[in-house]
Amino acid sequence: MKSLNIFNKTLVSSAVLFATMTLAGCAGSVDHGKYADGVHDVSAKGKKSLITLTVEVKNGNIVDIKTKSQKETESLYLNAERLLAKVVANNGHEGIDAVSGATYSSNGILKAINSLPRADGSQPEYVAVGSKEGAADDNFKLKWSIQPQLGLLKGDYYFQEARFRQGHMGSVAIVTDSNNADNVIFAEFNESGRPNYYTRLYQNVPKRMSEYNFSMGKKKGTAWVQSALTMEKLMVEQDKLTFELNPDFDPALGNKLKEPNRLKYAGIDIVAGASNSVQQSMVPLTAKIHAQINGEGTNELFYQNAEKLLDAKGKWTGVTAVLRLVVNRDSKQITKAHYDEIFADEKTQIKDASLKKFYRQSKYESINYVEPARIGFNVMFDALNVHLQQGGSLFSINDLPATGDTGSYAATGFTKRSDSWDLYLHQADILYRQMRQDGVIVAHNKI
């Protein structure tokens, strides 16, 4: 009997152990695969509509999500839709924040995922989430390049600017081959925020190479400059300066990115973010330039040189110097000058750690860049522009801001000579020699 009892106890122990292992295995499989397999349509309310997603689940894990239907503001939904990849990677919505500027659409997506059938039959209550603004630059996903064409660029110069839409200032610069006016070799669109812009930070601030694009991208998922660059590329590659009106244009569809009739001009499928700027400013201004090219032409010539700044070891510092001069063909006098230093497109390319935060911006257009000489970089080179327009020499700059070492901010408004003046002088010498060789500029004093 004693041996039988031992046998029975062994059987009971084995059964308990097997049951325990089985339960543990079930618990493990539920944790690993928490959703019911299959293809499921799940829905939840966004800001303007019901958002419906089609979700594919295999072995309890989300493997694919597609938007089946929604009628949200298109640009905002495209921003929020970036959450789908995060949900797949996370195998659920838990711990995922809403996208800034698209909070309602984000919560519609995440709440729909929360309603996905679970393997254990549970249905957790959904708790709405907000966005995390935080140090957004580190997680900024949008890409664009603001790097200028290196080396020398020259040709016939055309420029138009005008205010539009509540007072924004739009401008277009076009350069054509001096021997073939139909050959567009350079196109550049810029825009400054209107003087009464609702965000004081961007009032009268040029958008092309400033923080504006990052601010806009975080809110809407697109940057203003992306549309401008798309259009410029189109103009140069196709030598195209005029665009046909879209006969089916419907202004009510302005923010519906997938609707072709949202566009005022036919054949322009631009990136969202600056469609109004392109359609209300860039295209009309370029049409004026096209008329000028085919009419009176221009008596102004454009010269630009861009050069990467190198360190003592001959490696790029992540900053590019660029000088642009416009000269009147008849008087041989400079009518416009612009010098700038442009930061690399990526933080990792900028060697000076203190300057990394200015990636995809320039010293002239950045709002937050601090010039070591303690005066605005833009102030320095706006003064150069006036100096040259008044007939001053490219090289006699000692009366301009931050060209000397004063040590006294109180007395002069700056404390020392800015290194940028020497970089400017190098570029000025390159352009001056070329312009003199071409016979388009009067002699400048080089003292």
Side-chain angles (χ1 to χ4, degrees):
M1 291 292 296
K2 190 172 182 179
S3 60
L4 182 60
N5 287 338
I6 293 173
F7 177 74
N8 287 339
K9 286 180 180 179
T10 302
L11 285 176
V12 171
S13 298
S14 298
V16 170
L17 178 61
F18 177 78
T20 302
M21 291 174 65
T22 303
L23 288 172
C26 288
S29 63
V30 170
D31 288 341
H32 175 69
K34 59 185 177 182
Y35 298 108
D37 286 357
V39 178
H40 311 276
D41 284 347
V42 291
S43 303
K45 180 72 169 63
K47 184 172 185 178
K48 293 185 175 181
S49 68
L50 192 69
I51 297 171
T52 300
L53 308 174
T54 298
V55 184
E56 183 179 359
V57 179
K58 290 182 179 179
N59 299 321
N61 297 309
I62 299 172
V63 295
D64 187 50
I65 308 174
K66 289 185 173 63
T67 300
K68 184 174 183 179
S69 63
Q70 55 84 23
K71 293 184 179 179
E72 302 288 277
T73 299
E74 197 72 16
S75 59
L76 298 183
Y77 187 75
L78 287 176
N79 199 10
E81 200 173 31
R82 293 183 296 173
L83 293 177
L84 300 184
K86 290 185 177 182
V87 171
V88 172
N90 192 56
N91 194 36
H93 71 284
E94 294 86 353
I96 297 177
D97 297 307
V99 175
S100 177
T103 305
Y104 288 100
S105 296
S106 297
N107 275 282
I109 289 172
L110 299 177
K111 189 175 182 180
I113 296 297
N114 185 69
S115 67
L116 196 63
R118 302 201 175 220
D120 63 2
S122 66
Q123 182 57 66
E125 181 182 355
Y126 178 73
V127 178
V129 297
S131 64
K132 284 187 178 178
E133 297 285 350
D137 284 352
D138 292 334
N139 298 313
F140 201 78
K141 303 300 183 186
L142 300 179
K143 299 287 184 181
W144 65 86
S145 176
I146 61 167
Q147 298 308 299
Q149 177 180 317
L150 296 176
L152 181 69
L153 181 68
K154 64 178 185 177
D156 289 349
Y157 178 72
Y158 298 86
F159 180 81
Q160 289 284 341
E161 67 177 356
R163 293 199 179 274
F164 72 103
R165 194 165 47 95
Q166 298 98 38
H168 296 280
M169 177 63 83
S171 66
V172 173
I174 297 291
V175 178
T176 62
D177 186 334
S178 295
N179 298 315
N180 179 7
D182 293 329
N183 182 14
V184 179
I185 60 176
F186 176 84
E188 183 178 279
F189 178 53
N190 209 344
E191 178 186 326
S192 294
R194 64 182 192 263
N196 62 344
Y197 198 66
Y198 58 86
T199 302
R200 185 173 182 177
L201 189 65
Y202 297 117
Q203 291 173 358
N204 293 313
V205 169
K207 298 178 178 180
R208 187 179 183 88
M209 291 183 280
S210 70
E211 292 86 344
Y212 177 83
N213 294 300
F214 292 87
S215 175
M216 184 179 190
K218 292 163 197 169
K219 291 178 181 177
K220 297 189 176 181
T222 55
W224 176 92
V225 71
Q226 290 174 300
S227 286
L229 293 171
T230 299
M231 288 297 294
E232 291 162 8
K233 186 171 184 286
L234 171 65
M235 290 177 176
V236 172
E237 288 183 350
Q238 298 187 17
D239 298 317
K240 187 179 182 68
L241 297 180
T242 58
F243 300 88
E244 300 288 334
L245 287 170
N246 178 4
D248 299 316
F249 170 62
D250 183 354
L253 299 176
N255 64 355
K256 303 293 185 182
L257 303 188
K258 295 179 181 177
E259 296 292 336
N261 294 339
R262 79 186 194 280
L263 297 169
K264 184 177 180 180
Y265 294 92
I268 305 179
D269 191 8
I270 54 177
V271 179
S275 56
N276 285 329
S277 297
V278 168
Q279 294 178 158
Q280 296 177 21
S281 180
M282 186 179 189
V283 171
L285 291 177
T286 306
K288 288 184 179 180
I289 291 175
H290 180 262
Q292 184 182 352
I293 291 172
N294 290 282
E296 70 273 22
T298 181
N299 63 350
E300 289 191 311
L301 296 169
F302 176 93
Y303 283 78
Q304 176 178 289
N305 195 68
E307 187 175 0
K308 288 186 174 183
L309 301 180
L310 307 179
D311 61 19
K313 296 181 180 179
K315 294 184 177 180
W316 186 35
T317 62
V319 182
T320 299
V322 59
L323 175 62
R324 178 179 304 174
L325 299 174
V326 178
V327 61
N328 184 287
R329 182 185 278 109
D330 300 327
S331 68
K332 299 186 178 181
Q333 299 288 337
I334 291 173
T335 60
K336 186 180 294 185
H338 181 72
Y339 174 77
D340 204 351
E341 291 171 25
I342 299 171
F343 295 104
D345 293 334
E346 303 297 336
K347 288 182 179 181
T348 55
Q349 298 172 309
I350 302 172
K351 303 305 180 186
D352 186 335
S354 68
L355 299 177
K356 288 181 181 291
K357 60 186 175 183
F358 299 112
Y359 76 110
R360 290 189 222 146
Q361 299 168 55
S362 79
K363 290 185 178 181
Y364 185 91
E365 297 195 9
S366 170
I367 300 166
N368 295 311
Y369 172 74
V370 178
E371 170 57 39
R374 295 193 68 192
I375 194 169
F377 185 92
N378 59 325
V379 172
M380 292 162 48
F381 291 100
D382 282 346
L384 171 72
N385 184 43
V386 173
H387 164 78
L388 294 173
Q389 287 176 338
Q390 293 174 347
S393 168
L394 280 162
F395 310 103
S396 299
I397 60 172
N398 291 337
D399 292 334
L400 299 180
T403 53
D405 290 301
T406 68
S408 174
Y409 177 76
T412 62
F414 59 89
T415 56
K416 63 179 181 178
R417 180 181 176 88
S418 170
D419 293 340
S420 292
W421 281 118
D422 296 308
L423 298 171
Y424 152 75
L425 287 171
H426 175 67
Q427 299 304 317
D429 187 58
I430 293 172
L431 288 186
Y432 177 70
R433 284 187 280 110
Q434 181 64 53
M435 294 165 81
R436 287 291 286 171
Q437 180 179 321
D438 294 344
V440 301
I441 193 171
V442 298
H444 280 224
N445 190 341
K446 277 198 165 189
I447 61 170

